[in-house]
Amino acid sequence: MKTIKETIKDYIETLEAGEKRYAKEKLKDLQRIERYRLPEDGDLLYETITEKLKSSSNKSKKQYDVFGDYIDYLNSKGYEVQKLPEFRTKFERQILILKDLHDPNQTESLDTFAVRCSDKYLVSDRTVEKDLKEIREGIKLFGRDLKVDFARENGIISQHTTAHPLFLFPSLAQIVCMIEGLKELAGKHPLYKVYAEETAADIWAQLSDYAKDRITNVLPERLSITDTDFYRKLEEMASENRKHFREERSEEYRGMPEIEIIKAMKSETPAYRIVYPDGDGILKESPVIREEPRYAGDGYFEYTCEDGSLIKITNSELKGVKTVAAQDI
């Protein structure tokens, strides 16, 4: 069996001359752990390395890579030491923490959640708590805030809404495909019109002037782009003060029938009732509805109720949408 000091010496000998001094400096604390022997103390070595990385408030990827490469070296010699998680920048870590909060069955306290993320991303508990604070206050991205609130109810932490960050690097043709698809959805499915146009505007706002010019002035003659008015509308929407991303701005649309129906359909129990006037103008509540309304043209939507009845009204006639809980069905 070899000591940790002996394996580090062997590892450093495999490096280029310019890398040896840096690696020796970063691994010097491990060399002092004479009581560790490999392979039997591989788990203890992993714990020591991860605790060291978690306690480092300003670690670089280069420092992280030294420990990762050392572990890879040990594994190549048959010592079977657990590999380090992938290195994450601060921004990457915060985006991944947002996704960690998505699980509706998440029943952790803030402290427990912070410890789990600490082990997952190899940062301190305090760093995770700072990440959550910054997420709540708003992360700057393309000049706007990605701001997501989360709740602490009975000690349990969870998101009020589930933001889904997406980062794509599409070609111009792929961008046209996305926007044209959203344009078609907005025109053919009025229930999704607001969401489709907002999503298209968010895409448009991030394009370069070159890309916008190509799409509006060059590509219509070469591709099947027949309605450039939609793109002009996107430019108007994108030039507005779009301080927040869509998840935050969606609060502006609270109460709109199409938005409330979509929220009801996204709920854990996708069922709802609508409030609408009968023939005498008296408001009544519908039976339970489990499906999206079908657009019937001329501004009318048809709602098929669970009892088989059919309601046909316009959005202007719709006076309310009520989500139905499982125990009420």
Side-chain angles (χ1 to χ4, degrees):
M1 292 187 294
K2 286 195 171 185
T3 65
I4 298 299
K5 185 174 183 179
E6 288 171 334
T7 62
I8 290 176
K9 181 179 179 181
D10 292 343
Y11 163 67
I12 290 175
E13 287 303 312
T14 68
L15 301 177
E16 299 291 335
E19 299 174 342
K20 288 184 178 181
R21 179 178 295 180
Y22 183 84
K24 188 174 182 179
E25 171 67 22
K26 294 303 175 183
L27 297 173
K28 66 180 180 182
D29 290 341
L30 297 180
Q31 296 184 62
R32 299 170 183 157
I33 310 176
E34 292 291 347
R35 66 183 183 278
Y36 287 3
R37 297 289 187 276
L38 293 177
E40 63 186 41
D41 290 330
D43 290 344
L44 290 174
L45 175 62
Y46 177 81
E47 290 176 13
T48 301
I49 290 174
T50 54
E51 287 302 318
K52 180 173 179 58
L53 288 172
K54 284 193 284 186
S55 65
S56 177
S57 58
N58 59 346
K59 60 177 170 289
S60 65
K61 186 176 187 302
K62 185 177 180 181
Q63 176 188 357
Y64 199 93
D65 285 346
V66 166
F67 287 100
D69 290 344
Y70 170 53
I71 289 177
D72 287 344
Y73 168 79
L74 293 177
N75 287 330
S76 72
K77 299 300 179 181
Y79 290 125
E80 298 184 358
V81 179
Q82 183 177 334
K83 291 176 67 68
L84 293 178
E86 185 177 350
F87 176 81
R88 301 295 185 181
T89 65
K90 177 182 177 180
F91 179 71
E92 287 176 318
R93 184 179 68 247
Q94 289 178 339
I95 293 299
L96 290 170
I97 288 174
L98 271 176
K99 296 180 180 181
D100 290 331
L101 286 168
H102 281 180
D103 185 0
N105 299 315
Q106 200 277 116
T107 56
E108 294 172 300
S109 66
L110 175 59
D111 291 342
T112 304
F113 181 78
V115 169
R116 180 162 67 87
C117 289
S118 170
D119 292 338
K120 188 175 182 179
Y121 303 116
L122 299 189
V123 294
S124 68
D125 303 0
R126 178 61 180 156
T127 297
V128 175
E129 291 171 4
K130 286 182 179 178
D131 286 336
L132 289 168
K133 183 175 184 290
E134 290 182 20
I135 289 167
R136 174 181 278 171
E137 294 177 349
I139 305 170
K140 287 294 183 184
L141 181 62
F142 299 118
R144 289 178 283 167
D145 289 332
L146 174 58
K147 183 177 180 181
V148 180
D149 201 2
F150 55 88
R152 292 181 66 181
E153 299 176 2
N154 300 319
I156 305 302
I157 183 172
S158 63
Q159 282 192 40
H160 282 139
T161 56
T162 52
H164 302 272
L166 297 175
F167 298 92
L168 306 175
F169 294 90
S171 67
L172 208 55
Q174 290 173 309
I175 290 169
V176 170
C177 286
M178 287 190 289
I179 296 180
E180 285 291 306
L182 291 165
K183 180 179 72 176
E184 184 173 359
L185 180 64
K188 290 187 176 181
H189 203 320
L191 190 66
Y192 289 97
K193 179 179 174 63
V194 171
Y195 280 125
E197 290 184 349
E198 284 288 339
T199 303
D202 276 340
I203 294 171
W204 190 259
Q206 297 177 54
L207 298 182
S208 65
D209 291 339
Y210 164 81
K212 292 177 181 178
D213 179 68
R214 294 282 294 181
I215 292 172
T216 54
N217 298 319
V218 179
L219 296 184
E221 298 179 2
R222 303 179 184 180
L223 302 177
S224 300
I225 301 176
T226 58
D227 179 15
T228 55
D229 288 342
F230 184 75
Y231 290 89
R232 282 190 283 272
K233 180 178 182 179
L234 295 184
E235 181 62 32
E236 292 174 5
M237 294 175 67
S239 63
E240 296 171 358
N241 182 19
R242 302 174 70 80
K243 183 179 179 181
H244 302 294
F245 282 90
R246 187 197 57 76
E247 190 63 36
E248 175 74 7
R249 292 198 312 273
S250 65
E251 293 301 311
E252 302 171 15
Y253 307 120
R254 184 179 296 278
M256 291 179 63
E258 53 267 46
I259 301 300
E260 295 305 314
I261 290 170
I262 290 173
K263 286 182 178 179
M265 293 301 298
K266 290 196 306 178
S267 65
E268 187 173 345
T269 305
Y272 61 99
R273 301 176 189 270
I274 60 172
V275 179
Y276 65 102
D278 63 12
D280 297 322
I282 300 173
L283 293 183
K284 60 185 298 185
E285 193 171 292
S286 76
V288 172
I289 304 170
R290 293 182 180 272
E291 303 175 359
E292 291 181 1
R294 184 182 69 84
Y295 185 59
D298 296 328
Y300 283 91
F301 287 86
E302 289 183 343
Y303 297 82
T304 302
C305 303
E306 194 172 48
D307 65 0
S309 59
L310 187 68
I311 301 170
K312 184 177 179 179
I313 59 174
T314 64
N315 274 350
S316 60
E317 294 173 304
L318 186 60
K319 302 304 179 184
V321 179
K322 297 182 178 180
T323 301
V324 180
Q327 63 269 21
D328 297 329
I329 298 176

CSV table of all heavy atoms in Angstrom, one decimal, residues 200-242:
chain,number,residue,atom,x,y,z
A,200,ALA,N,-41.7,34.4,-28.3
A,200,ALA,CA,-41.0,34.9,-29.6
A,200,ALA,C,-40.3,36.2,-29.3
A,200,ALA,O,-39.2,36.4,-29.9
A,200,ALA,CB,-42.1,35.0,-30.7
A,201,ALA,N,-41.0,37.1,-28.5
A,201,ALA,CA,-40.4,38.4,-28.3
A,201,ALA,C,-39.1,38.2,-27.5
A,201,ALA,O,-38.1,39.0,-27.7
A,201,ALA,CB,-41.4,39.3,-27.6
A,202,ASP,N,-39.1,37.3,-26.5
A,202,ASP,CA,-37.8,37.1,-25.8
A,202,ASP,C,-36.7,36.6,-26.7
A,202,ASP,O,-35.5,36.9,-26.5
A,202,ASP,CB,-38.1,36.0,-24.7
A,202,ASP,CG,-38.7,36.6,-23.4
A,202,ASP,OD1,-38.6,37.9,-23.2
A,202,ASP,OD2,-39.3,35.9,-22.6
A,203,ILE,N,-37.0,35.7,-27.6
A,203,ILE,CA,-36.0,35.2,-28.6
A,203,ILE,C,-35.5,36.4,-29.4
A,203,ILE,O,-34.3,36.6,-29.6
A,203,ILE,CB,-36.6,34.1,-29.5
A,203,ILE,CG1,-36.9,32.9,-28.7
A,203,ILE,CG2,-35.6,33.8,-30.6
A,203,ILE,CD1,-37.7,31.8,-29.5
A,204,TRP,N,-36.5,37.2,-29.9
A,204,TRP,CA,-36.1,38.3,-30.8
A,204,TRP,C,-35.3,39.4,-30.1
A,204,TRP,O,-34.3,39.9,-30.7
A,204,TRP,CB,-37.4,39.0,-31.3
A,204,TRP,CG,-37.2,40.0,-32.4
A,204,TRP,CD1,-37.2,41.4,-32.2
A,204,TRP,CD2,-37.0,39.8,-33.8
A,204,TRP,NE1,-36.9,42.0,-33.5
A,204,TRP,CE2,-36.8,41.0,-34.4
A,204,TRP,CE3,-36.9,38.6,-34.5
A,204,TRP,CZ2,-36.6,41.1,-35.8
A,204,TRP,CZ3,-36.7,38.7,-35.9
A,204,TRP,CH2,-36.5,39.9,-36.5
A,205,ALA,N,-35.5,39.6,-28.8
A,205,ALA,CA,-34.8,40.6,-28.0
A,205,ALA,C,-33.3,40.3,-27.9
A,205,ALA,O,-32.5,41.1,-27.7
A,205,ALA,CB,-35.4,40.8,-26.7
A,206,GLN,N,-33.0,39.0,-28.0
A,206,GLN,CA,-31.6,38.6,-27.8
A,206,GLN,C,-30.8,38.5,-29.1
A,206,GLN,O,-29.6,38.2,-29.1
A,206,GLN,CB,-31.6,37.2,-27.1
A,206,GLN,CG,-32.2,37.2,-25.7
A,206,GLN,CD,-32.3,35.9,-25.1
A,206,GLN,OE1,-31.2,35.2,-24.9
A,206,GLN,NE2,-33.4,35.4,-24.6
A,207,LEU,N,-31.5,38.7,-30.3
A,207,LEU,CA,-30.8,38.6,-31.5
A,207,LEU,C,-30.0,39.8,-31.8
A,207,LEU,O,-30.2,40.9,-31.4
A,207,LEU,CB,-31.8,38.4,-32.7
A,207,LEU,CG,-32.7,37.1,-32.6
A,207,LEU,CD1,-33.6,37.1,-33.8
A,207,LEU,CD2,-31.8,35.9,-32.5
A,208,SER,N,-28.9,39.6,-32.6
A,208,SER,CA,-28.1,40.8,-33.1
A,208,SER,C,-28.8,41.6,-34.1
A,208,SER,O,-29.8,41.0,-34.8
A,208,SER,CB,-26.8,40.3,-33.6
A,208,SER,OG,-27.0,39.5,-34.8
A,209,ASP,N,-28.4,42.8,-34.4
A,209,ASP,CA,-29.0,43.6,-35.5
A,209,ASP,C,-28.9,42.9,-36.8
A,209,ASP,O,-29.7,43.0,-37.7
A,209,ASP,CB,-28.4,45.0,-35.5
A,209,ASP,CG,-28.8,45.8,-34.3
A,209,ASP,OD1,-29.8,45.5,-33.6
A,209,ASP,OD2,-28.0,46.8,-34.0
A,210,TYR,N,-27.7,42.2,-37.0
A,210,TYR,CA,-27.5,41.5,-38.2
A,210,TYR,C,-28.5,40.4,-38.4
A,210,TYR,O,-29.1,40.3,-39.5
A,210,TYR,CB,-26.1,40.9,-38.2
A,210,TYR,CG,-25.8,39.8,-39.2
A,210,TYR,CD1,-25.5,40.2,-40.6
A,210,TYR,CD2,-26.0,38.5,-38.9
A,210,TYR,CE1,-25.3,39.2,-41.5
A,210,TYR,CE2,-25.8,37.5,-39.9
A,210,TYR,CZ,-25.5,37.9,-41.2
A,210,TYR,OH,-25.3,36.9,-42.1
A,211,ALA,N,-28.8,39.6,-37.4
A,211,ALA,CA,-29.7,38.5,-37.5
A,211,ALA,C,-31.1,39.1,-37.8
A,211,ALA,O,-31.9,38.5,-38.6
A,211,ALA,CB,-29.7,37.7,-36.2
A,212,LYS,N,-31.5,40.1,-37.1
A,212,LYS,CA,-32.9,40.7,-37.3
A,212,LYS,C,-33.0,41.2,-38.7
A,212,LYS,O,-34.1,41.0,-39.4
A,212,LYS,CB,-33.1,41.9,-36.3
A,212,LYS,CG,-33.2,41.5,-34.9
A,212,LYS,CD,-33.4,42.7,-34.0
A,212,LYS,CE,-33.4,42.3,-32.5
A,212,LYS,NZ,-33.5,43.5,-31.6
A,213,ASP,N,-32.0,41.9,-39.3
A,213,ASP,CA,-32.0,42.4,-40.6
A,213,ASP,C,-32.1,41.2,-41.6
A,213,ASP,O,-32.9,41.3,-42.6
A,213,ASP,CB,-30.8,43.2,-40.9
A,213,ASP,CG,-30.8,43.7,-42.3
A,213,ASP,OD1,-31.6,44.6,-42.7
A,213,ASP,OD2,-29.9,43.3,-43.2
A,214,ARG,N,-31.4,40.2,-41.4
A,214,ARG,CA,-31.5,39.0,-42.3
A,214,ARG,C,-32.9,38.4,-42.3
A,214,ARG,O,-33.4,38.1,-43.4
A,214,ARG,CB,-30.4,38.0,-41.9
A,214,ARG,CG,-29.0,38.4,-42.0
A,214,ARG,CD,-28.5,38.3,-43.5
A,214,ARG,NE,-28.5,37.0,-44.0
A,214,ARG,CZ,-28.0,36.7,-45.2
A,214,ARG,NH1,-27.7,37.6,-46.0
A,214,ARG,NH2,-28.0,35.4,-45.6
A,215,ILE,N,-33.4,38.3,-41.1
A,215,ILE,CA,-34.7,37.6,-41.0
A,215,ILE,C,-35.9,38.5,-41.7
A,215,ILE,O,-36.8,37.9,-42.3
A,215,ILE,CB,-35.1,37.3,-39.6
A,215,ILE,CG1,-34.1,36.2,-39.0
A,215,ILE,CG2,-36.5,36.9,-39.4
A,215,ILE,CD1,-34.2,36.0,-37.6
A,216,THR,N,-35.8,39.8,-41.5
A,216,THR,CA,-36.9,40.6,-42.0
A,216,THR,C,-36.7,41.2,-43.4
A,216,THR,O,-37.7,41.4,-44.1
A,216,THR,CB,-37.1,41.9,-41.0
A,216,THR,OG1,-35.8,42.5,-40.9
A,216,THR,CG2,-37.5,41.4,-39.7
A,217,ASN,N,-35.5,41.3,-43.8
A,217,ASN,CA,-35.2,41.9,-45.2
A,217,ASN,C,-34.6,41.0,-46.2
A,217,ASN,O,-34.7,41.3,-47.4
A,217,ASN,CB,-34.3,43.1,-45.0
A,217,ASN,CG,-34.9,44.2,-44.1
A,217,ASN,OD1,-36.1,44.5,-44.2
A,217,ASN,ND2,-34.1,44.8,-43.2
A,218,VAL,N,-34.0,39.9,-45.8
A,218,VAL,CA,-33.3,39.0,-46.8
A,218,VAL,C,-34.0,37.7,-46.9
A,218,VAL,O,-34.4,37.2,-48.0
A,218,VAL,CB,-31.9,38.8,-46.4
A,218,VAL,CG1,-31.2,37.9,-47.4
A,218,VAL,CG2,-31.1,40.1,-46.4
A,219,LEU,N,-34.3,37.0,-45.8
A,219,LEU,CA,-34.8,35.6,-45.8
A,219,LEU,C,-36.2,35.5,-46.3
A,219,LEU,O,-36.6,34.5,-46.9
A,219,LEU,CB,-34.7,35.0,-44.4
A,219,LEU,CG,-33.2,34.8,-43.9
A,219,LEU,CD1,-33.2,34.1,-42.6
A,219,LEU,CD2,-32.4,34.0,-44.9
A,220,PRO,N,-37.1,36.5,-46.2
A,220,PRO,CA,-38.5,36.4,-46.7
A,220,PRO,C,-38.5,36.0,-48.2
A,220,PRO,O,-39.5,35.3,-48.6
A,220,PRO,CB,-39.1,37.7,-46.4
A,220,PRO,CG,-38.4,38.2,-45.2
A,220,PRO,CD,-37.0,37.8,-45.4
A,221,GLU,N,-37.6,36.5,-48.9
A,221,GLU,CA,-37.5,36.2,-50.4
A,221,GLU,C,-37.0,34.8,-50.6
A,221,GLU,O,-37.3,34.3,-51.7
A,221,GLU,CB,-36.7,37.2,-51.1
A,221,GLU,CG,-37.2,38.7,-50.9
A,221,GLU,CD,-36.2,39.6,-51.6
A,221,GLU,OE1,-35.2,39.2,-52.2
A,221,GLU,OE2,-36.5,40.9,-51.6
A,222,ARG,N,-36.3,34.2,-49.7
A,222,ARG,CA,-35.7,32.9,-49.9
A,222,ARG,C,-36.4,31.8,-49.2
A,222,ARG,O,-36.3,30.6,-49.6
A,222,ARG,CB,-34.2,33.0,-49.5
A,222,ARG,CG,-33.4,34.1,-50.2
A,222,ARG,CD,-32.0,34.1,-49.7
A,222,ARG,NE,-31.2,35.2,-50.3
A,222,ARG,CZ,-30.0,35.5,-50.0
A,222,ARG,NH1,-29.3,34.7,-49.2
A,222,ARG,NH2,-29.4,36.5,-50.6
A,223,LEU,N,-37.1,32.1,-48.1
A,223,LEU,CA,-37.7,31.1,-47.3
A,223,LEU,C,-39.2,31.4,-47.3
A,223,LEU,O,-39.7,32.4,-47.8
A,223,LEU,CB,-37.2,31.1,-45.9
A,223,LEU,CG,-35.7,30.8,-45.7
A,223,LEU,CD1,-35.3,30.9,-44.3
A,223,LEU,CD2,-35.3,29.5,-46.3
A,224,SER,N,-40.0,30.5,-46.7
A,224,SER,CA,-41.5,30.6,-46.7
A,224,SER,C,-41.9,31.6,-45.6
A,224,SER,O,-42.7,31.2,-44.7
A,224,SER,CB,-42.1,29.3,-46.5
A,224,SER,OG,-41.7,28.4,-47.6
A,225,ILE,N,-41.4,32.8,-45.6
A,225,ILE,CA,-41.8,33.8,-44.6
A,225,ILE,C,-42.7,34.8,-45.3
A,225,ILE,O,-42.2,35.6,-46.1
A,225,ILE,CB,-40.6,34.5,-44.0
A,225,ILE,CG1,-39.7,33.5,-43.3
A,225,ILE,CG2,-41.1,35.6,-43.0
A,225,ILE,CD1,-38.4,34.1,-42.7
A,226,THR,N,-44.0,34.7,-45.1
A,226,THR,CA,-44.9,35.5,-45.8
A,226,THR,C,-45.5,36.6,-45.0
A,226,THR,O,-46.1,37.6,-45.5
A,226,THR,CB,-46.1,34.7,-46.3
A,226,THR,OG1,-46.7,34.0,-45.2
A,226,THR,CG2,-45.6,33.6,-47.3
A,227,ASP,N,-45.4,36.5,-43.6
A,227,ASP,CA,-46.0,37.5,-42.7
A,227,ASP,C,-44.9,38.2,-41.9
A,227,ASP,O,-44.5,37.8,-40.8
A,227,ASP,CB,-47.0,36.9,-41.8
A,227,ASP,CG,-47.6,37.9,-40.9
A,227,ASP,OD1,-47.5,39.1,-41.1
A,227,ASP,OD2,-48.3,37.5,-39.9
A,228,THR,N,-44.3,39.3,-42.5
A,228,THR,CA,-43.2,40.0,-41.7
A,228,THR,C,-43.8,40.9,-40.7
A,228,THR,O,-43.1,41.5,-39.9
A,228,THR,CB,-42.3,40.8,-42.7
A,228,THR,OG1,-43.2,41.6,-43.5
A,228,THR,CG2,-41.6,39.8,-43.6
A,229,ASP,N,-45.1,41.2,-40.7
A,229,ASP,CA,-45.8,42.0,-39.7
A,229,ASP,C,-45.5,41.5,-38.3
A,229,ASP,O,-45.4,42.2,-37.3
A,229,ASP,CB,-47.3,42.2,-40.0
A,229,ASP,CG,-47.6,43.1,-41.2
A,229,ASP,OD1,-46.6,43.8,-41.6
A,229,ASP,OD2,-48.7,43.0,-41.7
A,230,PHE,N,-45.5,40.1,-38.2
A,230,PHE,CA,-45.3,39.5,-36.9
A,230,PHE,C,-44.0,39.9,-36.4
A,230,PHE,O,-43.8,40.1,-35.2
A,230,PHE,CB,-45.5,38.0,-37.1
A,230,PHE,CG,-45.4,37.2,-35.7
A,230,PHE,CD1,-46.4,37.2,-34.9
A,230,PHE,CD2,-44.2,36.6,-35.4
A,230,PHE,CE1,-46.3,36.5,-33.7
A,230,PHE,CE2,-44.1,35.9,-34.2
A,230,PHE,CZ,-45.2,35.9,-33.3
A,231,TYR,N,-43.0,39.9,-37.2
A,231,TYR,CA,-41.6,40.3,-36.8
A,231,TYR,C,-41.5,41.7,-36.4
A,231,TYR,O,-40.8,42.1,-35.4
A,231,TYR,CB,-40.6,40.0,-37.9
A,231,TYR,CG,-40.4,38.5,-38.1
A,231,TYR,CD1,-41.2,37.8,-39.0
A,231,TYR,CD2,-39.5,37.7,-37.4
A,231,TYR,CE1,-41.1,36.4,-39.1
A,231,TYR,CE2,-39.3,36.4,-37.5
A,231,TYR,CZ,-40.2,35.7,-38.4
A,231,TYR,OH,-40.0,34.4,-38.6
A,232,ARG,N,-42.3,42.6,-37.1
A,232,ARG,CA,-42.3,44.0,-36.7
A,232,ARG,C,-42.9,44.2,-35.3
A,232,ARG,O,-42.5,45.0,-34.5
A,232,ARG,CB,-43.0,44.8,-37.7
A,232,ARG,CG,-42.2,45.2,-38.9
A,232,ARG,CD,-42.8,46.2,-39.8
A,232,ARG,NE,-43.9,45.6,-40.6
A,232,ARG,CZ,-43.7,45.0,-41.8
A,232,ARG,NH1,-42.5,44.9,-42.3
A,232,ARG,NH2,-44.7,44.4,-42.5
A,233,LYS,N,-44.0,43.3,-35.0
A,233,LYS,CA,-44.6,43.3,-33.7
A,233,LYS,C,-43.6,42.9,-32.6
A,233,LYS,O,-43.6,43.5,-31.5
A,233,LYS,CB,-45.8,42.4,-33.7
A,233,LYS,CG,-46.6,42.4,-32.4
A,233,LYS,CD,-47.8,41.5,-32.5
A,233,LYS,CE,-48.6,41.5,-31.1
A,233,LYS,NZ,-49.8,40.7,-31.2
A,234,LEU,N,-42.8,41.9,-33.0
A,234,LEU,CA,-41.8,41.4,-32.0
A,234,LEU,C,-40.8,42.5,-31.7
A,234,LEU,O,-40.4,42.6,-30.5
A,234,LEU,CB,-41.1,40.2,-32.6
A,234,LEU,CG,-41.9,38.9,-32.8
A,234,LEU,CD1,-41.0,37.8,-33.2
A,234,LEU,CD2,-42.7,38.5,-31.5
A,235,GLU,N,-40.4,43.3,-32.7
A,235,GLU,CA,-39.5,44.4,-32.5
A,235,GLU,C,-40.1,45.4,-31.5
A,235,GLU,O,-39.4,45.9,-30.7
A,235,GLU,CB,-39.1,45.0,-33.8
A,235,GLU,CG,-38.1,46.2,-33.7
A,235,GLU,CD,-36.8,45.7,-33.1
A,235,GLU,OE1,-36.4,44.6,-33.4
A,235,GLU,OE2,-36.1,46.5,-32.4
A,236,GLU,N,-41.3,45.7,-31.7
A,236,GLU,CA,-42.0,46.6,-30.8
A,236,GLU,C,-42.0,46.1,-29.4
A,236,GLU,O,-41.8,46.8,-28.4
A,236,GLU,CB,-43.4,46.9,-31.3
A,236,GLU,CG,-43.5,47.7,-32.6
A,236,GLU,CD,-44.9,47.8,-33.1
A,236,GLU,OE1,-45.8,47.4,-32.4
A,236,GLU,OE2,-45.1,48.4,-34.2
A,237,MET,N,-42.4,44.8,-29.3
A,237,MET,CA,-42.4,44.2,-27.9
A,237,MET,C,-41.0,44.2,-27.3
A,237,MET,O,-40.9,44.4,-26.1
A,237,MET,CB,-43.0,42.8,-28.0
A,237,MET,CG,-44.5,42.7,-28.4
A,237,MET,SD,-45.1,41.0,-28.6
A,237,MET,CE,-45.0,40.4,-26.9
A,238,ALA,N,-40.0,43.8,-28.1
A,238,ALA,CA,-38.7,43.7,-27.6
A,238,ALA,C,-38.1,45.1,-27.2
A,238,ALA,O,-37.2,45.1,-26.3
A,238,ALA,CB,-37.8,43.0,-28.6
A,239,SER,N,-38.5,46.1,-27.8
A,239,SER,CA,-38.0,47.5,-27.5
A,239,SER,C,-38.6,48.1,-26.3
A,239,SER,O,-38.2,49.1,-25.8
A,239,SER,CB,-38.3,48.4,-28.7
A,239,SER,OG,-39.6,48.6,-28.9
A,240,GLU,N,-39.7,47.4,-25.8
A,240,GLU,CA,-40.3,47.9,-24.5
A,240,GLU,C,-39.3,47.6,-23.4
A,240,GLU,O,-38.3,46.9,-23.5
A,240,GLU,CB,-41.6,47.2,-24.3
A,240,GLU,CG,-42.7,47.5,-25.3
A,240,GLU,CD,-43.9,46.6,-25.1
A,240,GLU,OE1,-43.9,45.8,-24.3
A,240,GLU,OE2,-44.9,46.8,-25.9
A,241,ASN,N,-39.6,48.1,-22.2
A,241,ASN,CA,-38.8,47.9,-21.0
A,241,ASN,C,-39.0,46.5,-20.5
A,241,ASN,O,-39.8,46.3,-19.6
A,241,ASN,CB,-39.1,48.9,-19.9
A,241,ASN,CG,-38.2,48.7,-18.7
A,241,ASN,OD1,-37.1,48.1,-18.8
A,241,ASN,ND2,-38.6,49.3,-17.6
A,242,ARG,N,-38.3,45.5,-21.1
A,242,ARG,CA,-38.5,44.1,-20.7
A,242,ARG,C,-37.5,43.8,-19.6
A,242,ARG,O,-36.5,43.1,-19.8
A,242,ARG,CB,-38.4,43.2,-21.9
A,242,ARG,CG,-39.4,43.5,-23.0
A,242,ARG,CD,-39.1,42.7,-24.3
A,242,ARG,NE,-39.5,41.3,-24.1
A,242,ARG,CZ,-40.7,40.9,-24.2
A,242,ARG,NH1,-41.7,41.7,-24.3
A,242,ARG,NH2,-40.9,39.6,-24.0
